[in-house]
Amino acid sequence: MVQKMSPNARKLRDQDTNPCIEETDGSRKCLDANNYNRDMCSAYFLRYKNCRKFWHNIMIQRRRDGVKPDMPAAEERQKILEALGGKPY
């Protein structure tokens, strides 16, 4: 039986709209591995929070500059991260 994802869940798994899928998955795996003891996963949560903050600031700047779309596509985000020498979060 194949479960269908809701449109909202599909959007959260879309590489072009969600820049922090890797961090989301890391947090979830940590919680699963540690019996949902949130204290054991604080580093993963912090990384996710910093990822969201970083890309939110990029979105705000692009909006100010009139660049569309507000969120760079996955390929463009990869180039941004490469230019920075890796993830700053």
Side-chain angles (χ1 to χ4, degrees):
M1 183 171 120
V2 176
Q3 278 189 332
K4 288 188 103 177
M5 280 200 278
S6 71
N8 210 21
R10 202 173 303 116
K11 185 178 175 188
L12 291 173
R13 299 301 308 168
D14 184 346
Q15 290 282 344
D16 283 328
T17 57
N18 183 357
C20 301
I21 291 175
E22 186 180 317
E23 289 73 17
T24 301
D25 291 346
S27 295
R28 190 171 296 122
K29 285 177 186 172
C30 180
L31 286 170
D32 287 343
N34 290 289
N35 203 25
Y36 290 83
N37 179 348
R38 294 181 61 81
D39 295 336
M40 300 293 289
C41 301
S42 57
Y44 289 93
F45 299 148
L46 184 60
R47 193 163 172 229
Y48 172 77
K49 182 179 172 185
N50 289 338
C51 175
R52 296 296 300 173
K53 187 185 221 179
F54 176 81
W55 290 110
H56 178 75
N57 289 336
I58 296 279
M59 253 178 43
I60 298 296
Q61 190 60 53
R62 285 170 67 100
R63 253 186 234 145
R64 281 190 196 124
D65 296 343
V67 177
K68 294 286 181 189
D70 294 341
M71 176 58 71
E75 190 177 314
E76 187 179 352
R77 286 196 313 266
Q78 190 59 41
K79 289 176 183 170
I80 291 169
L81 292 175
E82 286 170 8
L84 293 171
K87 292 180 179 180
Y89 44 86

